[in-house]
């Protein structure tokens, strides 16, 4: 093309054969291939190391997954069983699992309930007032159901915060157990 014509028409370049983009492209291609060949062993080694590392990680996670639906279901159930076994082992163990959950119920919940003001709800004056307001001031032949119901609801309302707190503490412990499993 025009580039070749230019170099051949110029006296300084006419007798040179190493001019133009074609020559440059060939020269750079040869250089690139030589560099790749020179670095190929280290690139191959790097790939092999990473493949080996990933295969080891895959094996630790349960091995290769067959892509059939039955195989995947089997793998999932196997992993769930292993998690359940590890979880049960930790929960049945002392300090890491079951003992901490038991402490939440036997100590922390018990202490929280003991701090609740049930005495205020169950004073004779309050019970009479709640029963009279709920069922009226007539004498009762049968137990004053609405009044008792209100007393029970008030007591249950007091238990709400300690119960939710207990649930949250047990939830945190169980999340830690799953992480350990």
């Amino acid at each position: 093309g025009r580039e070749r014509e230019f170099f051949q028409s110029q006296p300084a370049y006419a007798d040179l054969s190493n001019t133009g983009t074609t020559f440059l492209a060939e020269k750079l291609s040869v250089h690139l291939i030589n560099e790749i060949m020179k670095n190929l062993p280290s690139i191959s080694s790097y790939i092999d190391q990473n493949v080996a590392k990933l295969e080891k990680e895959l094996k630790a996670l349960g091995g290769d997954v067959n892509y059939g639906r039955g195989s995947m279901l089997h793998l999932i159930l196997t992993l769930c069983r292993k998690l359940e076994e590890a979880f049960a082992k930790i929960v049945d163990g002392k300090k890491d699992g079951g003992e901490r959950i038991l402490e939440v119920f036997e100590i922390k919940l018990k202490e929280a309930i003991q701090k609740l003001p049930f005495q205020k709800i169950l004073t004779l004056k309050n019970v009479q007032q709640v029963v009279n307001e709920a069922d009226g001031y007539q004498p009762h032949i049968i137990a004053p159901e609405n009044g008792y119901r209100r007393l029970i609801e008030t007591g249950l309302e007091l238990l709400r915060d300690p119960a939710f707190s207990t649930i949250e503490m047990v939830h945190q412990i169980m999340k830690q157990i799953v992480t350990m499993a």
Side-chain angles (χ1 to χ4, degrees):
R2 290 176 51 185
E3 183 183 50
R4 179 180 285 182
E5 290 173 12
F6 169 79
F7 283 116
Q8 288 179 350
S9 67
Q10 300 295 319
Y13 303 112
D15 56 340
L16 296 176
S17 62
N18 62 350
T19 58
T21 54
T22 304
F23 173 79
L24 182 61
E26 287 174 8
K27 187 82 168 168
L28 289 175
S29 290
V30 168
H31 180 69
L32 181 61
I33 288 171
N34 289 336
E35 286 299 311
I36 289 173
M37 295 304 281
K38 185 171 79 178
N39 289 309
L40 199 56
S42 64
I43 293 170
S44 179
S45 172
Y46 175 77
I47 291 171
D48 290 343
Q49 287 173 354
N50 282 312
V51 166
K53 191 165 91 174
L54 290 172
E55 284 175 346
K56 183 179 177 183
E57 185 178 337
L58 179 62
K59 187 174 181 181
L61 293 172
D64 198 7
V65 176
N66 294 326
Y67 289 101
R69 185 174 180 169
S71 297
M72 290 186 83
L73 181 60
H74 177 70
L75 174 65
I76 290 168
L77 292 175
T78 300
L79 292 174
C80 287
R81 182 182 48 75
K82 287 180 180 179
L83 175 65
E84 184 267 335
E85 288 170 355
F87 183 84
K89 185 177 179 183
I90 293 169
V91 168
D92 291 342
K94 299 293 178 199
K95 294 187 179 195
D96 287 337
E99 194 71 26
R100 289 174 49 210
I101 293 172
L102 197 59
E103 178 185 318
V104 169
F105 285 104
E106 290 186 348
I107 297 172
K108 294 180 180 180
L109 179 61
K110 186 177 179 180
E111 288 173 353
I113 290 173
Q114 288 173 347
K115 292 177 184 175
L116 296 175
F118 285 112
Q119 297 80 10
K120 203 180 337 179
I121 297 171
L122 299 175
T123 63
L124 183 58
K125 183 179 177 182
N126 187 55
V127 170
Q128 285 175 337
Q129 181 181 349
V130 170
V131 167
N132 286 335
E133 288 174 2
D135 291 310
Y137 286 95
Q138 76 272 8
H140 300 284
I141 298 174
I142 303 174
E145 182 181 330
N146 289 333
Y148 288 159
R149 190 175 304 241
R150 286 218 180 125
L151 287 170
I152 291 169
E153 287 172 355
T154 304
L156 289 174
E157 189 62 37
L158 284 176
L159 290 170
R160 181 181 304 270
D161 287 341
F164 281 134
S165 177
T166 299
I167 290 168
E168 184 57 33
M169 284 188 275
V170 170
H171 179 247
Q172 293 302 320
I173 292 169
M174 294 185 83
K175 282 180 16 183
Q176 292 170 354
I177 292 171
V178 167
T179 301
M180 290 188 304

